[in-house]
Amino acid sequence: MFNSYLTCTNFRFFIWGFSSSTATVALTLVVIAVISGTTLANVISDASKLLTAANDTTAHARCTTSAVGSAEALVSNLFAAINTAKCELTNASQWPADFADEALREGLEKYDFVIVGAGTAGSVVASRLTENPRIKVLLVEAGEDPPIESEIFTLSSTLHHSPYTWTDFGEPNPNCCQGMQQHRCYWPRGKMVGGSSSMSGSIFLLGNKEDFDRWRLLGCDKWSWEEMKFLYEKALKASQHEVVDKPVGTVVLNQFDHLEEHNELAQLVLNASSELGLRYISDLSDGTIVGYTDAIPANIEKGRRMSVAKTYLGQVSRTRPNLHVIKKAMVTKILFSSDNSRAVGVEFILRNRHRLKVAAMSEVLLAAGAINSPKLLLQSGIGPSEHLKSLRINQIADLPVGNNLHDHGMLPLILKFGREINLPSSMAEPQSVADYFLRQTGPLAASISIMGFINTNASNSSQYPDLHLVSHTIVPAGAADSFKFLQLRDEIVAGISSAAGNKSLLQIYGSLLRPRSRGKVRLRSADPQAPPLIYNNYATEPADQLTLLRYVRFVQRMCTTAAFRNYGLQLLHVPIEECDRLPYDSDDYWMCYIKYLYIGAWHPVGTCRMGAYTDSHAVVDQRLRVRGVNGLRLVDASIMPEITSGNTNGPTTLIAEKAAVMIEDDWKEELT
Ligand SMILES: Cc1cc2nc3c(=O)[nH]c(=O)nc-3n(C[C@H](O)[C@H](O)[C@H](O)COP(=O)(O)OP(=O)(O)OC[C@H]3O[C@@H](n4cnc5c(N)ncnc54)[C@H](O)[C@@H]3O)c2cc1C
């Protein structure tokens, strides 16, 4: 056992633990580095010093005065309590049991439904369908249970490059993501039970009423805001109706905890927005949101993540013999009947070595997310015929699979404080760590989150905003390296750091609520293990660039408010060689900036678009059935014809709720 404080050049480490294994220490260093806003490079340069200290088992005995042992015992108890609390934060019983060993031993029976992917949508659909004990479901998930860092939602960014993530990069595109490493946009998604919702920011929004009116105009007249609201109420209230031995899924919503020290920043931003005529939004679920708020609903409870995978799936699965879940199982192919007219099951690779097949008597339901669902369809022969032909994949159906890829994207704008502001407490402080693990309070359990919805193109009274402003968080002086988390290139981060000098920064991100630019997903090769080709095309449409330009001008207007002027807040000029050849602050300059710094917002949708029978761009019909193929449905974020106005997890949850109702309805005669 050891414990030690080490003061490094620009930050302080506090290490606790009972194992001095190199792996444990290394992991601790990386996590603390990320949450301290320091770089891995700093950490690595200090690592040998730290590891030496960590391995020094006499470190705890360095006191210069003598002791009788009781003080040492108290300290040991504290460390033991924190370590135990850390391990107990999450445990296997929160998640479904893994049916894999039994499947390997006994073989797989036939199921009514086989669901691919236990992310947001897969968890909801599996949970709802198996409320009926006569429906047998197998849920197949490529990942495993989420790690502890998923439970502590404030540490979720440390999962972005972990084994719990699909770590795909977009294809290089000279018109976007030029400021990112290798000039490529990054598309992380969760590869674990809960999928992306196990690594998300946990914000839960529904979107705007008009989003669904637009879906209707696009031919999806069976979908409406009223129905989404109805499903939302049902999802929230489910827990009130449940019987203890028959729990049902439920969306758990609470607002982020704000610490006292957040108030100054919240007031500053809300005062500025109010000066610009924007109202305070008290209810983000009313479907007509324009304004600013710090009251943000999230899937959290007492500092812990409450993903739908936990509340819909984990909570119910162990009481339902009709639901089996297999983890570490990557589906590689959909299987079809001999005449290719019906999906009859899937093939998957279990634990990287066992190739298994399972039969679906009613339907195969794809919930692998907006990148992997189209990938799986393409691998299975459903997609644009030219593309399939080029890879010698036998065609089952010629459909525009993989097209219509879009995402809100986000453009960081960085402002520099002219005077001091209350800084957020460091999550890595010993007190913060103890508060979280012993009581689930403090900075690790809280989040300052302020967001704005504005209409850049019309008066503030319009109820259909086109821009989402998120984050509004402080980067303390000297911590600009934390921008590396966004995959920005080293010279850009270094430029931000030197332009910041010894001042703290305010970061604001602008996301397009209705992006026009579209990309696509294709296969790199016919090998199912190969990562997909992702052509993201962020903000390549002039309309998107103009909205982003208006966002820049809006933030500049914020800088003219009394609230911002009082703190001396001004836009930081981020040095970018190509853009700096243009006159600073000209429209052309900002177009260049957009090309460099408009990056992914982790909200991919639209690649298996829903539409009317007559819609040649549609992959699925309004009941989410793949056109021209029986027994195959998409139930995830890929079906959105257009992205909703706000983060996508809420709408995906409701899409899955509606899918479950439609599936039960379509099969009610056979399954009763
Ligand atoms: C970093 C990050 C932060 C985010 N923050 C927010 C937020 O704060 N609020 C919000 O509303 N939204 C957020 N989102 C977006 C939100 O999480 C997604 O919109 C939502 O999870 C999509 O649900 P899905 O079911 O379509 O896909 P996912 O949740 O991604 O689930 C897909 C599942 O399928 C599995 N899978 C994929 N391929 C296969 C295969 N071949 N075989 C077996 N299994 C497979 C995956 O492992 C995964 O578990 C965030 C996303 C990310 C990545």
Side-chain angles (χ1 to χ4, degrees):
M1 187 186 93
F2 64 88
N3 65 84
S4 62
Y5 282 92
L6 275 149
T7 306
C8 299
T9 42
N10 58 350
F11 59 97
R12 202 167 50 160
F13 286 107
F14 173 62
I15 303 175
W16 73 94
F18 295 84
S19 152
S20 57
S21 83
T22 305
T24 306
V25 173
L27 181 67
T28 309
L29 296 178
V30 171
V31 169
I32 291 180
V34 174
I35 60 185
S36 306
T38 58
T39 66
L40 203 53
N42 288 135
V43 177
I44 289 165
S45 68
D46 285 306
S48 56
K49 196 165 65 178
L50 289 161
L51 286 170
T52 309
N55 287 321
D56 177 1
T57 50
T58 61
H60 65 284
R62 278 197 195 130
C63 304
T64 51
T65 42
S66 59
V68 294
S70 51
E72 179 63 24
L74 286 176
V75 173
S76 298
N77 284 348
L78 172 66
F79 288 127
I82 291 178
N83 204 40
T84 306
K86 181 197 72 181
C87 297
E88 285 179 351
L89 206 54
T90 167
N91 60 66
S93 69
Q94 285 186 323
W95 306 108
D98 192 350
F99 192 68
D101 286 334
E102 209 167 321
L104 285 172
R105 228 178 20 247
E106 318 273 334
L108 278 160
E109 54 188 290
K110 287 182 177 171
Y111 292 85
D112 296 309
F113 296 93
V114 173
I115 304 177
V116 181
T120 299
S123 299
V124 172
V125 173
S127 176
R128 286 297 185 206
L129 290 181
T130 53
E131 280 173 18
N132 178 344
R134 283 182 291 273
I135 298 181
K136 276 177 26 189
V137 168
L138 178 70
L139 179 56
V140 189
E141 166 55 44
E144 48 192 306
D145 293 345
I148 293 175
E149 290 78 5
S150 162
E151 191 74 12
I152 310 167
F153 71 95
T154 41
L155 290 189
S156 56
S157 61
T158 64
L159 298 175
H160 280 214
H161 293 276
S162 74
Y164 298 90
T165 304
W166 301 91
T167 52
D168 296 317
F169 286 84
E171 292 308 292
N173 179 337
N175 298 315
C176 55
C177 293
Q178 290 302 296
M180 296 193 77
Q181 300 282 349
Q182 300 165 36
H183 307 269
R184 300 172 79 177
C185 307
Y186 185 45
W187 290 82
R189 286 113 47 222
K191 183 182 185 180
M192 57 191 132
V193 173
S196 301
S197 74
S198 287
M199 64 186 291
S200 73
S202 298
I203 293 167
F204 192 94
L205 303 177
L206 300 186
N208 194 294
K209 182 177 176 307
E210 287 193 41
D211 296 333
F212 299 93
D213 293 344
R214 283 175 68 93
W215 286 19
R216 281 232 284 272
L217 287 176
L218 291 167
C220 306
D221 57 357
K222 304 271 185 293
W223 292 67
S224 68
W225 168 254
E226 288 68 30
E227 196 184 6
M228 288 292 134
K229 275 293 270 190
F230 171 79
L231 292 168
Y232 170 67
E233 299 298 337
K234 173 184 165 193
L236 285 181
K237 287 196 186 120
S239 56
Q240 294 168 12
H241 303 299
E242 74 188 40
V243 184
V244 177
D245 62 341
K246 283 191 183 160
V248 295
T250 178
V251 167
V252 171
L253 282 188
N254 288 294
Q255 285 183 11
F256 287 115
D257 270 358
H258 286 182
L259 300 179
E260 186 65 29
E261 66 214 40
H262 290 155
N263 290 343
E264 188 182 358
L265 175 63
Q267 272 319 309
L268 161 61
V269 176
L270 294 174
N271 286 346
S273 64
S274 157
E275 281 184 56
L276 294 177
L278 291 159
R279 72 177 173 98
Y280 183 81
I281 307 168
S282 50
D283 178 9
L284 275 168
S285 72
D286 85 350
T288 55
I289 34 179
V290 174
Y292 252 80
T293 188
D294 62 348
I296 298 171
N299 299 124
I300 49 164
E301 194 169 73
K302 299 195 179 96
R304 298 170 63 178
R305 183 184 300 275
M306 298 301 276
S307 67
V308 290
K310 194 192 275 179
T311 56
Y312 275 72
L313 185 64
Q315 179 182 274
V316 309
S317 58
R318 287 172 191 261
T319 65
R320 295 195 186 159
N322 54 331
L323 171 59
H324 290 160
V325 180
I326 295 193
K327 304 171 199 173
K328 294 185 87 170
M330 175 143 135
V331 176
T332 50
K333 205 165 185 229
I334 302 161
L335 303 170
F336 296 96
S337 56
S338 53
D339 64 355
N340 287 342
S341 65
R342 162 172 287 279
V344 293
V346 301
E347 186 174 283
F348 59 95
I349 300 174
L350 179 62
R351 297 172 183 161
N352 278 327
R353 47 180 197 282
H354 308 284
R355 192 173 288 273
L356 299 179
K357 290 181 181 174
V358 61
M361 293 184 294
S362 300
E363 288 187 17
V364 172
L365 306 173
L366 294 195
I371 304 293
N372 285 27
S373 280
K375 178 172 184 273
L376 186 54
L377 285 175
L378 294 169
Q379 281 161 204
S380 309
I382 299 177
S385 76
E386 280 308 306
H387 180 58
L388 298 178
K389 233 184 264 166
S390 71
L391 295 170
R392 297 179 201 284
I393 295 175
N394 184 33
Q395 184 180 298
I396 303 289
D398 179 9
L399 289 172
V401 170
N403 296 356
N404 192 40
L405 170 66
H406 56 299
D407 172 12
H408 293 121
M410 53 189 187
L411 184 69
L413 287 178
I414 302 168
L415 294 88
K416 189 166 158 175
F417 279 97
R419 60 163 258 218
E420 287 310 309
I421 182 163
N422 251 329
L423 295 179
S425 305
S426 163
M427 294 184 199
E429 284 292 318
Q431 184 65 52
S432 308
V433 176
D435 282 348
Y436 185 83
F437 285 110
L438 299 179
R439 290 189 292 272
Q440 278 87 61
T441 59
L444 277 159
S447 169
I448 174 75
S449 222
I450 305 168
M451 60 172 64
F453 289 87
I454 64 166
N455 198 327
T456 62
N457 211 7
S459 75
N460 288 335
S461 61
S462 162
Q463 297 302 295
Y464 199 29
D466 59 4
L467 198 98
H468 193 187
L469 293 103
V470 294
S471 185
H472 303 89
T473 48
I474 294 176
V475 179
D481 269 355
S482 61
F483 285 103
K484 285 197 172 163
F485 148 70
L486 295 173
Q487 298 297 304
L488 299 185
R489 277 163 40 201
D490 292 353
E491 64 268 31
I492 303 241
V493 176
I496 296 171
S497 189
S498 82
N502 61 357
K503 300 290 185 202
S504 296
L505 303 173
L506 176 67
Q507 49 180 341
I508 302 179
Y509 294 81
S511 282
L512 295 172
L513 288 173
R514 288 192 298 290
R516 303 260 182 93
S517 307
R518 294 293 186 264
K520 62 185 179 188
V521 175
R522 292 288 185 265
L523 296 181
R524 193 172 298 276
S525 83
D527 173 7
Q529 308 276 9
L533 288 172
I534 304 175
Y535 299 97
N536 32 250
N537 295 344
Y538 281 126
T540 45
E541 286 289 324
D544 289 346
Q545 295 163 1
L546 289 174
T547 308
L548 290 169
L549 181 60
R550 290 193 298 270
Y551 149 63
V552 173
R553 300 302 178 206
F554 172 82
V555 172
Q556 287 178 326
R557 285 219 313 284
M558 276 188 123
C559 291
T560 66
T561 61
F564 269 38
R565 275 189 286 122
N566 189 25
Y567 283 83
L569 273 163
Q570 287 188 342
L571 266 183
L572 180 100
H573 180 164
V574 178
I576 302 171
E577 204 182 326
E578 183 187 344
C579 306
D580 287 339
R581 286 187 218 121
L582 300 161
Y584 180 66
D585 199 31
S586 61
D587 287 359
D588 286 346
Y589 169 85
W590 288 112
M591 291 302 172
C592 177
Y593 183 95
I594 290 165
K595 187 173 78 172
Y596 272 76
L597 291 181
Y598 184 64
I599 57 180
W602 315 308
H603 297 160
V605 303
T607 46
C608 301
R609 172 183 173 155
M610 163 175 67
Y613 281 110
T614 48
D615 183 350
S616 61
H617 301 293
V619 173
V620 297
D621 67 12
Q622 290 203 62
R623 298 185 79 75
L624 309 183
R625 299 169 296 204
V626 175
R627 294 169 64 176
V629 183
N630 294 319
L632 184 58
R633 233 183 268 244
L634 270 294
V635 296
D636 59 22
S638 68
I639 66 97
M640 293 190 200
E642 283 186 353
I643 201 162
T644 49
S645 299
N647 310 52
T648 43
N649 197 46
T652 306
T653 302
L654 300 182
I655 286 168
E657 282 277 13
K658 184 168 163 70
V661 173
M662 292 190 296
I663 294 164
E664 271 218 81
D665 205 35
D666 289 351
W667 289 94
K668 66 173 174 282
E669 278 167 25
E670 289 81 351
L671 295 170
T672 47

